[in-house]
Amino acid sequence: QVQVVESGGGLVQPGGSLRLSCKCSGSICSLATMAWYRRAPGKERELVGTVPSRGSITYADFAKGRFTISRDRAKTSGYLQLDSLKPEDSAAYYCNAYGKYPYDFDYWGQGTQVSVST
């Protein structure tokens, strides 16, 4: 049984920072690509960035320079560091663990809410 659980969301003032965590439990997690998505009220879900098991980290254009994605050495936890937050970054942030080896898999967390407001 694979579980993906996000944590670390909260309320922060503009310009502030948060660090989101994604814990993937299951033997397949170390093989997964971890992706971060967000969905703001009334908007489409959008990709924030990805960190593969091996290879380069990628970012959406809006995330470059302010957000940092990383992963622990065991590759079972991923992190999304959010800096210089803006009100428009307010959204539910989701972690997605997926891959094609040794079989197709795609697991999602329940999301963690980030609110940026004075």
Side-chain angles (χ1 to χ4, degrees):
Q1 184 78 11
V2 177
Q3 285 189 316
V4 175
V5 179
E6 305 94 336
S7 62
L11 174 64
V12 64
Q13 292 187 342
S17 297
L18 283 173
R19 187 182 193 225
L20 308 184
S21 298
C22 171
K23 176 63 179 176
C24 182
S25 300
S27 59
I28 206 167
C29 291
S30 62
L31 301 176
T33 291
M34 287 185 173
W36 286 96
Y37 287 84
R38 70 181 187 182
R39 176 177 281 163
K43 294 189 176 181
E44 298 277 325
R45 183 180 66 192
E46 59 182 349
L47 178 66
V48 177
T50 63
V51 52
S53 177
R54 294 182 181 179
S56 300
I57 298 170
T58 65
Y59 295 92
D61 286 343
F62 69 82
K64 293 177 182 176
R66 296 193 300 125
F67 297 173
T68 304
I69 292 173
S70 62
R71 195 161 176 173
D72 69 347
R73 293 184 68 181
K75 300 183 180 180
T76 57
S77 290
Y79 305 96
L80 176 60
Q81 177 70 36
L82 306 171
D83 295 318
S84 303
L85 282 164
K86 305 174 182 179
E88 53 264 41
D89 294 318
S90 296
Y93 284 73
Y94 297 89
C95 180
N96 171 220
Y98 67 93
K100 292 188 177 295
Y101 179 83
Y103 54 85
D104 282 341
F105 61 94
D106 186 5
Y107 299 101
W108 289 82
Q110 81 291 347
T112 186
Q113 181 67 39
V114 171
S115 298
V116 185
S117 174
T118 55

